[in-house]
Amino acid sequence: MGIVKNRGRFYWVKRIPKRYLGVVRSVDGEVVQQARQALHTDSRTEALKKAALVEAEKLAEWEALLAGDEGNARKHYQAARDLAQARGYPYKAMSDLAGGDVAQIIDRVLSLSDGTNLTAPPAATDAVLGAVPVALPGLSEVLIEYYSLTKTRHLSKSENQRRKWRLPRDRAVRNFLSVVAGVTPDGTPRDMPINTITADHALKFRNWWSRRVESGLKIESANKDIGHLSEVFRTWCKLTKNPLSNPFADLRLEGRDERGVPGFSREWVRDHLLAPGALDGLNAEARDVLLIMINTGLRPSEITDAPLEDFEVTANVPFLRVAPHGRELKVAHTRRDIPLLGVSLEAARRIVARGGPTRYHHKAGSWSAAVNKFLRTNGLRESPAHTAYSLRHYVENALLAARVDDRVRADILGHKYNRPSYGDGGALSGRADALALIAL
């Protein structure tokens, strides 16, 4: 950007950037190499302020010209929005303006004229008067932009955690488009521009899920899909300043699922899982992670993702430290130290001797798949609904049966404690005393 003074008055002057050469023309249609506009002031300070505004408007105008010249409907619409904004007006489609306040229309028209004739360039006229058709991205593209717009939310996640976070959102979009827009011959869901998605489309998707829930699928699965779609739609509109009404809002299915994963009974853990040779068919790391869960109630990922130095097996009170270390904890209160006793301490010592978790490090999903398959094929499930995660519920139930204080139970299991917190709740020794009541 530059300003020059001529006969006591300042002008804004700029060479046309290469990007816009050939599309910026004079009033008689000739391609121009340089732009110039009077700033109507003899004050250098005021001229610099005005020049910044003029440059922003001109760049937006040239971007609109380029988008229109390229025939890219979406880029043309976005450029028109930016140009209208640069001239002080939110972009409104012509049909919306026509049904609005006449005074606002007159104000927009006057901003494009010298009081008698329209003098603004055609690109500016189209932008301010809403003559460029609305063209927004498809839902699949919106999802990609949503991931980019929300990157800072997930900086503390490991790559595997980010992948797992994206999966249900990818699935929700894929499910919606398959149901509402259909699929191509190769099975790919057809995309839909986000501004064409209506409340009727959202209700069609809700009804599709209702039928699936009636046939036995979980309400939670339906509500996750609807919730993800609503959040993606709302966030993208907010961060891109597109004032669209969210068709997925308030569409959750009523009701709730029965508890999906029951806890093992103490007898089953003792007589089946810990029976001599019962776990011999599991690889060593998978077996030891499972055994650590038995007396701790730790989540599988809290064990598999822990670095070697977090296994404090030689401390006066041996424990496993649950801390971020390259991954995001489920919530802040899950950070804690968990005492290791009995079979869990023995398993932790073996893991330390092998150099820490390696095979399943940051791969808790793979661990769950392998262990659940082993339990299923070896008759080690107490019921078809039981999984390896049932050990966590077993510890929770056992602590409750042993009448362990709810504060200490929350500290052990990494649950949120809703009452005011005073002191450290007995810290490590208190948790060790509680777990000693149930340890095998």
Side-chain angles (χ1 to χ4, degrees):
M1 179 185 74
I3 58 172
V4 297
K5 197 171 188 180
N6 186 7
R7 288 180 289 181
R9 310 292 283 181
F10 280 98
Y11 293 80
W12 168 81
V13 179
K14 184 179 182 70
R15 289 187 61 83
I16 305 298
K18 288 183 180 180
R19 173 178 172 79
Y20 307 113
L21 284 176
V23 299
V24 180
R25 299 174 180 269
S26 65
V27 292
D28 57 6
E30 296 294 322
V31 172
V32 298
Q33 304 290 321
Q34 185 182 77
R36 179 184 178 98
Q37 182 167 318
L39 297 175
H40 306 293
T41 182
D42 58 3
S43 164
R44 182 176 183 81
T45 299
E46 186 178 354
L48 287 171
K49 291 180 181 178
K50 286 187 172 183
L53 297 174
V54 168
E55 176 145 335
E57 181 182 324
K58 285 297 181 183
L59 288 173
E61 177 186 319
W62 297 341
E63 195 64 37
L65 286 171
L66 181 63
D69 191 61
E70 291 177 342
N72 186 316
R74 187 186 171 199
K75 287 180 64 178
H76 193 191
Y77 169 67
Q78 289 177 317
R81 285 183 59 204
D82 293 342
L83 178 52
Q85 191 69 43
R87 295 183 71 99
Y89 298 96
Y91 186 86
K92 286 189 176 182
M94 188 177 289
S95 58
D96 293 334
L97 285 175
D101 188 344
V102 174
Q104 291 185 10
I105 300 175
I106 294 174
D107 180 55
R108 289 183 180 236
V109 171
L110 291 177
S111 75
L112 301 165
S113 72
D114 60 4
T116 304
N117 301 303
L118 288 177
T119 55
T125 302
D126 288 346
V128 173
L129 297 183
V132 178
V134 175
L136 294 180
L139 184 58
S140 294
E141 188 177 349
V142 164
L143 181 64
I144 294 171
E145 291 184 8
Y146 165 81
Y147 289 149
S148 178
L149 291 167
T150 58
K151 273 184 180 179
T152 55
R153 295 184 188 178
H154 313 292
L155 294 178
S156 59
K157 284 184 170 69
S158 67
E159 181 54 40
N160 189 51
Q161 285 180 314
R162 284 191 288 270
R163 180 187 64 80
K164 290 175 68 175
W165 179 84
R166 288 191 294 264
L167 280 175
R169 289 153 181 84
D170 292 345
R171 183 169 55 245
V173 168
R174 186 170 60 250
N175 283 344
F176 175 78
L177 292 175
S178 297
V179 170
V180 174
V183 296
T184 62
D186 66 357
T188 303
R190 301 182 190 279
D191 212 352
M192 293 179 68
I194 191 170
N195 56 303
T196 68
I197 298 173
T198 66
D200 286 341
H201 292 136
L203 284 171
K204 180 178 180 180
F205 185 60
R206 185 183 190 274
N207 292 336
W208 176 77
W209 258 118
S210 292
R211 292 190 296 272
R212 301 185 86 203
V213 168
E214 290 170 7
S215 68
L217 294 184
K218 292 183 177 180
I219 292 176
E220 180 186 9
S221 299
N223 286 336
K224 280 183 178 179
D225 261 17
I226 294 169
H228 290 322
L229 289 166
S230 181
E231 205 277 329
V232 168
F233 196 103
R234 180 180 64 252
T235 300
W236 184 86
C237 287
K238 177 181 178 181
L239 297 182
T240 58
K241 296 183 179 179
N242 279 286
L244 302 177
S245 178
N246 187 349
F248 302 103
D250 302 320
L251 287 187
R252 291 172 61 86
L253 298 181
E254 299 83 6
R256 63 181 183 181
D257 299 310
E258 295 296 322
R259 184 172 179 175
V261 182
F264 285 115
S265 67
R266 183 175 181 81
E267 293 73 23
W268 188 271
V269 174
R270 183 190 62 214
D271 300 336
H272 292 78
L273 297 183
L274 294 181
L279 301 178
D280 286 354
L282 266 178
N283 68 77
E285 186 171 311
R287 180 176 63 249
D288 286 336
V289 170
L290 185 71
L291 290 171
I292 289 176
M293 289 181 68
I294 285 176
N295 288 333
T296 64
L298 284 162
R299 299 176 178 90
S301 62
E302 293 174 334
I303 306 169
T304 61
D305 297 355
L308 176 62
E309 58 268 23
D310 281 356
F311 289 83
E312 300 281 3
V313 297
T314 60
N316 289 334
V317 178
F319 68 93
L320 176 61
R321 181 181 301 108
V322 180
H325 293 308
R327 63 185 291 272
E328 183 179 72
L329 295 180
K330 189 172 183 181
V331 281
H333 52 262
T334 61
R335 185 175 190 142
R336 63 205 191 280
D337 297 336
I338 301 301
L340 297 166
L341 300 91
V343 296
S344 296
L345 177 56
E346 294 169 7
R349 285 172 174 160
R350 289 193 293 270
I351 286 179
V352 168
R354 292 194 295 269
T358 54
R359 181 168 180 169
Y360 297 108
H361 193 56
H362 292 301
K363 296 178 181 177
S366 297
W367 177 89
S368 294
V371 172
N372 285 325
K373 180 179 179 181
F374 180 84
L375 296 179
R376 183 173 62 252
T377 57
N378 288 274
L380 292 175
R381 295 185 300 167
E382 195 167 356
S383 79
H386 281 76
T387 69
Y389 205 82
S390 295
L391 282 172
R392 181 166 165 80
H393 297 307
Y394 151 70
V395 171
E396 182 177 8
N397 294 339
L399 289 172
L400 184 61
R403 298 184 179 179
V404 173
D405 178 79
D406 57 351
R407 164 69 189 278
V408 178
R409 293 203 313 273
D411 287 346
I412 291 172
L413 293 161
H415 289 163
K416 186 175 182 179
Y417 187 68
N418 291 319
R419 294 195 312 216
S421 178
Y422 302 103
D424 61 7
L428 194 60
S429 61
R431 295 169 204 163
D433 290 342
L435 288 171
L437 298 173
I438 68 166
L440 294 166

